[in-house]
Amino acid sequence: MIELPAVGAFLQMGQGKTATTLMALKDLLYDYVSISKVLVIAPKKVAEDTWQAEGRKWDDFRDLRFSTVMGTPKERRMALEADADIYVINRENVKWLCELYKYRLPFDALVVDESTSFKNHQAVRFKALKKCLGRFKKRIILTGTPRPNTLMDLWAQVYLLDGGQRLGKTITAYRRTYFVPEKQYQGIVYSYKCRNKECEKAIYDKIRDICFTLKDGYKEIPAEDNFIYVQLPEKAKRNYMQMLKEQVLSLGDEEITALSAAAVSNKLLQMANGAIYDKDGQYTEIHDAKLEALEEIYEANKPLLVFYSYKSDLERIRKKFPEARTLDSAEDVDAWNRGEIPLLLAHPASAGYGLNLQDGGSTIVWFGLTWSLEQYQQANARLKRQGQKHQVIIHHLIARGTIDEQVMKAIRSKAEGQAAMMDAVRMLKENIHG
């Protein structure tokens, strides 16, 4: 990070990405004096406190001055005017920041934490940051899952480092050079795969001079997966099967798209968890099978980190366990790590990145499952990381005979989430019509 103008640190969860980067930035700021202002872009909850907390944690970083660019537009502007070394902003505000400075950002170093959130070359945040890359003398991207789905995910991330020098100036050129269609339906390609092993090796060879990983010299955190199959009550089972038929039949003969598959999947996953939303945004409770399973785990194991999927899950869990606390702020993180929270509730999309929760417990419960392999791996890594002193237990609540089983199968086979979801809905449709 000190020697090269651009570095991709592809370190597994818990291997010290933040501390390593801060050490390099401190040297660059104070010893080499080669940079003066650093912009760190991170997921919202990570931007709120993770970088700042790491700075407070180690004596080596005590001199580093942080400014958190979050809150209202006025608060963000004030934070940008503060005298600091490192300015931390959440990724949702990247476009706002670029437009504020008319794409002439006043920073000479860039750190993108959890760079997979920039893997989509069509995303607004990527397009905005792409216009500003020339402003940075130093660029660093950090992630433990550089290719959460396929090697297609690498192009945009590496572009942030080299502007397209290694993998091509456009995603089209990259795709044409190294990939062939993997899954397609009625002429529409949904995913691509490398042409062959030689192409995969060629991609790694192209980026190996600026992208690094760590295989040795760290302690592997043990984890044990536990799959708990819950039985739905007969009435709930009938309701589920009726909903399955209605949802699948409503597709008619139309092509299964990501949007239509998501609509069907969400309805079925809601019912598997125990409640379902109507068109007015209100939900009706269907069963308590997963709540009862969670209660059994809770009685035997405390504290628990529970990942939920829907607001209905959150409200129902909090109603049954009034002592439960939602992971909303840095204060919640600190309280958990001090052992003050017996049941911490989090959504994998917002709490699955960068947060250090290993001091507060070692047991995870997936109340609601996710199609996203990246979210799943990142969420588990909140406890399964360096500093964890106990074996991590990961419980998965799976409603027997529901779409939960397809989701769990996709996760265990490390299938691409969107493609796996569409395949599952397509299979359900074929079974119903069959």
Side-chain angles (χ1 to χ4, degrees):
M1 291 179 181
I2 291 173
E3 294 175 358
L4 300 178
V7 167
F10 297 162
L11 305 182
Q12 292 182 23
M13 300 82 154
Q15 286 187 335
K17 292 186 291 290
T18 307
T20 300
T21 306
L22 284 176
M23 182 64 77
L25 292 177
K26 189 201 74 167
D27 288 350
L28 290 165
L29 285 161
Y30 293 133
D31 294 342
Y32 295 89
V33 198
S34 57
I35 60 173
S36 58
K37 293 178 72 174
V38 182
L39 175 66
V40 173
I41 302 171
K44 185 176 180 181
K45 291 191 181 300
V46 176
E48 286 176 345
D49 190 62
T50 298
W51 283 81
Q52 302 85 330
E54 199 75 7
R56 295 189 298 267
K57 181 178 178 181
W58 305 98
D59 291 339
D60 290 310
F61 308 142
R62 292 286 165 82
D63 293 334
L64 289 173
R65 300 167 300 164
F66 292 84
S67 181
T68 305
V69 187
M70 297 182 71
T72 65
K74 180 179 179 181
E75 290 170 334
R76 281 179 250 150
R77 291 191 185 94
M78 290 177 61
L80 289 168
E81 293 170 1
D83 187 16
D85 301 306
I86 300 174
Y87 298 78
V88 189
I89 192 169
N90 57 307
R91 57 201 181 193
E92 291 81 5
N93 283 323
V94 167
K95 183 174 182 288
W96 170 86
L97 179 70
C98 294
E99 290 178 343
L100 178 68
Y101 288 104
K102 296 181 170 54
Y103 296 93
R104 298 177 62 83
L105 297 180
F107 310 96
D108 50 10
L110 169 70
V111 177
V112 179
D113 194 357
E114 300 301 344
S115 60
T116 48
S117 62
F118 283 79
K119 68 180 184 287
N120 182 0
H121 68 284
Q122 295 180 320
V124 170
R125 67 182 69 149
F126 174 80
K127 290 180 178 179
L129 191 58
K130 180 182 177 183
K131 296 179 183 179
C132 306
L133 291 179
R135 309 293 298 180
F136 304 106
K137 294 190 294 183
K138 183 75 63 175
R139 305 178 202 169
I140 298 169
I141 66 172
L142 309 172
T143 182
T145 53
R147 45 167 297 179
N149 298 314
T150 73
L151 280 169
M152 286 288 292
D153 294 336
L154 278 180
W155 182 82
Q157 297 177 75
V158 175
Y159 190 98
L160 294 179
L161 296 176
D162 68 1
Q165 292 179 27
R166 288 166 178 79
L167 298 183
K169 293 291 185 181
T170 66
I171 186 72
T172 303
Y174 177 58
R175 186 169 56 222
R176 187 182 300 125
T177 303
Y178 300 106
F179 297 86
V180 293
E182 180 182 31
K183 292 186 178 181
Q184 51 187 325
Y185 185 74
Q186 294 186 353
I188 299 175
V189 179
Y190 292 103
S191 64
Y192 293 84
K193 64 179 179 180
C194 271
R195 293 178 180 274
N196 47 48
K197 288 291 183 182
E198 287 72 23
C199 277
E200 186 169 340
K201 182 179 183 300
I203 292 172
Y204 292 138
D205 287 343
K206 287 279 188 180
I207 66 174
R208 70 170 60 252
D209 63 320
I210 59 170
C211 295
F212 304 90
T213 188
L214 177 65
K215 290 186 177 180
D216 300 314
Y218 69 94
K219 175 186 175 185
E220 181 68 27
I221 307 302
E224 178 183 331
D225 289 317
N226 185 30
F227 305 101
I228 301 173
Y229 288 86
V230 300
Q231 295 289 346
L232 300 189
E234 284 302 318
K235 183 178 179 181
K237 194 181 301 182
R238 289 195 299 272
N239 289 337
Y240 177 88
M241 293 308 298
Q242 181 62 34
M243 177 60 69
L244 170 60
K245 291 179 182 178
E246 290 176 3
Q247 288 295 308
V248 171
L249 292 175
S250 69
L251 296 173
D253 295 326
E254 71 179 60
E255 170 196 339
I256 302 292
T257 65
L259 191 62
S260 62
V264 172
S265 173
N266 274 324
K267 285 290 186 184
L268 299 179
L269 286 171
Q270 288 168 19
M271 292 195 75
N273 289 357
I276 188 168
Y277 282 90
D278 59 26
K279 61 182 179 180
D280 298 320
Q282 303 298 313
Y283 67 85
T284 300
E285 295 190 51
I286 306 297
H287 65 82
D288 291 334
K290 286 196 176 184
L291 286 173
E292 291 169 0
L294 177 59
E295 184 175 33
E296 290 182 4
I297 298 172
Y298 184 55
E299 289 175 354
N301 300 274
K302 293 184 184 69
L304 294 182
L305 172 59
V306 178
F307 289 110
Y308 65 90
S309 298
Y310 304 100
K311 187 178 178 182
S312 57
D313 299 340
L314 174 62
E315 292 180 355
R316 293 169 61 235
I317 294 172
R318 295 194 71 170
K319 182 179 178 181
K320 187 170 185 64
F321 306 95
E323 68 276 24
R325 185 159 160 180
T326 309
L327 180 55
D328 294 322
S329 67
E331 292 180 3
D332 299 321
V333 173
D334 292 340
W336 164 264
N337 282 327
R338 290 194 301 266
E340 298 172 2
I341 303 177
L343 188 60
L344 184 64
L345 308 177
H347 193 286
S350 60
Y353 295 88
L355 298 181
N356 297 315
L357 302 175
Q358 68 271 23
D359 293 333
S362 59
T363 305
I364 292 171
V365 179
W366 283 90
F367 185 89
L369 302 175
T370 174
W371 286 105
S372 171
L373 178 62
E374 180 186 2
Q375 283 185 10
Y376 175 78
Q377 292 175 332
Q378 290 279 0
N380 289 336
R382 296 316 99 217
L383 301 189
K384 187 179 180 292
R385 59 195 301 111
Q386 291 296 302
Q388 177 59 258
K389 298 179 176 63
H390 307 283
Q391 183 181 39
V392 175
I393 307 296
I394 305 172
H395 300 285
H396 309 78
L397 302 186
I398 305 165
R400 178 78 72 181
T402 73
I403 199 170
D404 274 0
E405 295 182 338
Q406 279 84 16
V407 178
M408 200 67 251
K409 181 180 179 182
I411 289 173
R412 297 186 73 177
S413 63
K414 298 187 177 181
E416 182 183 352
Q418 182 170 291
M421 176 182 66
M422 293 169 66
D423 284 346
V425 172
R426 196 171 291 124
M427 187 185 303
L428 290 173
K429 182 178 179 181
E430 291 172 357
N431 289 342
I432 290 294
H433 287 293

